[in-house]
Amino acid sequence: MNGQQQPVQLTSVYDPYVYQTLTSVIGKNIVVQTTRNSLQGTLANVLPDHIVVEINQTPFFIRTQEIIWVSPS
Amino acid sequence: MFKRVNRLAIELPIPEYGDANAAAAVQELLGGKFGEMSTLNNYMYQSFNFRQKGKLKPFYDLVASITAEEFGHVELVSNTINILQRGTSFTAEPDLTPLQNGKDVRNTYSLIATAQTSLAGDSMGNPWRGDYVFSSGNLVLDLLHNFFLEVGARTHKMRVYEMTDHPTAREMIGYLLVRGGVHILAYAKALEIATGVDMTKMLPIPSLDNRVFDHARKYEDQGVGNVLFTWSDGDYKDINQIWKGTNPSNGQQLIVKEGIPEGAPVPDLSDLPEEFAPGIGRDEFEQISKRLLANM
């Protein structure tokens, strides 16, 4: 606007308590409800912005922002 | 009579993820007006009702043998729908609402009426209907209807292919586009022999080659589109008086093969405790085993 370029800022949502809690159940069987559907498998890894769930040795990389809830199974 | 073989037409890929709404769309190719249940029942009733089976034997053989292939296509599409519904729910106690995602999928029948498997209905949940069967008894009219039915079925397959990129759905559609192309050409040739009119001049409808579709190209390369099977151990051989010459789409020789294609194993389905299916736990299974082995 007014011929001036606006500064662009990149922001990232970070759910520190989700990350911390999920870290404590790595290796356990879980159900993850995402915004699309649920996935049931072993929680293989937890990173600041995504988790890895393995179903029959196939990894699914799920963005933390798409998680609604997680429950042990 | 029919003899059943426990094989599936092709090997379907089984990824660890499904797509329940893609399964709902694929239902159209099973129980829709132009689905496999319609091609099966049209040719089945036309073969039952055929007048002068001896005098017009090549035409009778054609309609009767393709009936058997269509039965296998119903089986193939049903298995695809079953695989597509993997991962729709999770296993948990009923009070944890394990079928909660079922509220948001298009086909709720699949979770309530079946244990996440196929239905004898279309993509909107309408049941398949007997009035989809056209069996006038007039040979040319019935063949013309079958030609139209196959072209319509091809159109629907192409559109469902454009709706989903799930590997299982696309493998099935790629194969059936090629086999459907065979049936279109078979009825075109039958009409040419019956009337002298060359129907192949208007093909393909829609006017794009099967090779445009990635998953159909493999089957075209294998020559699947040049072969018509008798689906019998000794009958229906006179289809070779209709299925002859070259394929106008690729210039290759048309071949009649006696019997059936090799096929692939029928996929199994895991148990789904949240659907109580099959509902046979370890204890029940042990009791069943005892009764199966007992002298009763």
Side-chain angles (χ1 to χ4, degrees), chain B residues 21-174:
Chain B
N21 286 341
V26 170
Q27 279 286 158
E28 192 67 26
L29 307 183
L30 178 65
K33 192 174 181 183
F34 291 84
E36 299 296 340
M37 289 187 67
S38 285
T39 50
L40 164 66
N41 280 279
N42 268 277
Y43 312 151
M44 188 169 81
Y45 277 92
Q46 286 175 19
S47 66
F48 295 163
N49 300 343
F50 205 101
R51 291 187 189 275
Q52 298 209 293
K53 296 179 176 71
K55 183 177 165 187
L56 298 166
K57 187 165 179 297
F59 300 98
Y60 171 69
D61 282 6
L62 184 74
V63 174
S65 60
I66 296 179
T67 300
E69 171 156 13
E70 299 297 355
F71 219 129
H73 290 181
V74 171
E75 187 179 31
L76 181 64
V77 179
S78 290
N79 274 275
T80 302
I81 290 166
N82 296 346
I83 292 168
L84 279 169
Q85 296 190 76
R86 284 163 64 94
T88 305
S89 60
F90 54 89
T91 300
E93 294 303 312
D95 282 333
L96 292 173
T97 333
L99 302 182
Q100 58 186 267
N101 291 317
K103 290 177 301 177
D104 296 321
V105 301
R106 287 193 51 253
N107 182 357
T108 41
Y109 287 138
S110 69
L111 288 104
I112 301 169
T114 78
Q116 300 174 33
T117 50
S118 65
L119 284 156
D122 70 15
S123 62
M124 295 299 286
N126 303 303
W128 181 84
R129 297 197 337 223
D131 63 359
Y132 297 160
V133 173
F134 185 91
S135 180
S136 74
N138 178 284
L139 178 65
V140 174
L141 187 54
D142 283 351
L143 290 173
L144 202 53
H145 169 270
N146 298 351
F147 178 79
F148 171 77
L149 179 63
E150 290 285 351
V151 169
R154 179 171 192 260
T155 311
H156 288 200
K157 286 183 192 95
M158 288 176 168
R159 289 174 178 168
V160 175
Y161 188 101
E162 291 183 321
M163 288 171 79
T164 173
D165 61 358
H166 192 282
T168 313
R170 289 208 154 172
E171 188 72 14
M172 175 274 288
I173 296 172

Side-chain angles (χ1 to χ4, degrees), chain B residues 144-270:
Chain B
L144 202 53
H145 169 270
N146 298 351
F147 178 79
F148 171 77
L149 179 63
E150 290 285 351
V151 169
R154 179 171 192 260
T155 311
H156 288 200
K157 286 183 192 95
M158 288 176 168
R159 289 174 178 168
V160 175
Y161 188 101
E162 291 183 321
M163 288 171 79
T164 173
D165 61 358
H166 192 282
T168 313
R170 289 208 154 172
E171 188 72 14
M172 175 274 288
I173 296 172
Y175 173 75
L176 289 184
L177 277 174
V178 178
R179 291 309 302 168
V182 167
H183 295 164
I184 291 169
L185 185 58
Y187 288 124
K189 284 184 165 286
L191 279 163
E192 187 175 0
I193 290 166
T195 67
V197 176
D198 184 0
M199 307 288 287
T200 63
K201 284 185 178 171
M202 67 174 85
L203 297 177
I205 309 169
S207 63
L208 68 166
D209 195 271
N210 281 344
R211 303 189 70 84
V212 170
F213 300 84
D214 278 353
H215 289 74
R217 212 174 298 129
K218 172 178 72 180
Y219 294 108
E220 289 288 351
D221 290 341
Q222 290 169 6
V224 170
N226 303 326
V227 182
L228 201 58
F229 294 89
T230 63
W231 298 88
S232 172
D233 297 332
D235 295 327
Y236 311 129
K237 287 179 190 170
D238 284 356
I239 56 174
N240 64 11
Q241 291 176 47
I242 293 169
W243 192 251
K244 59 188 178 185
T246 55
N247 189 334
S249 75
N250 58 24
Q252 291 167 2
Q253 185 66 38
L254 299 178
I255 307 159
V256 170
K257 283 191 184 168
E258 205 176 329
I260 62 172
E262 189 188 345
V266 177
D268 199 1
L269 299 172
S270 58

Side-chain angles (χ1 to χ4, degrees), chain A residues 31 33 36-38 40 55-56 58 60 69 73, chain B residues 16-18 86-92 100-101:
Chain A
V31 183
Q33 176 70 33
R36 179 66 70 86
N37 65 348
S38 61
Q40 191 163 29
I55 304 173
N56 288 340
T58 306
F60 288 80
W69 52 253
S73 75
Chain B
E16 289 303 328
Y17 64 97
R86 284 163 64 94
T88 305
S89 60
F90 54 89
T91 300
Q100 58 186 267
N101 291 317

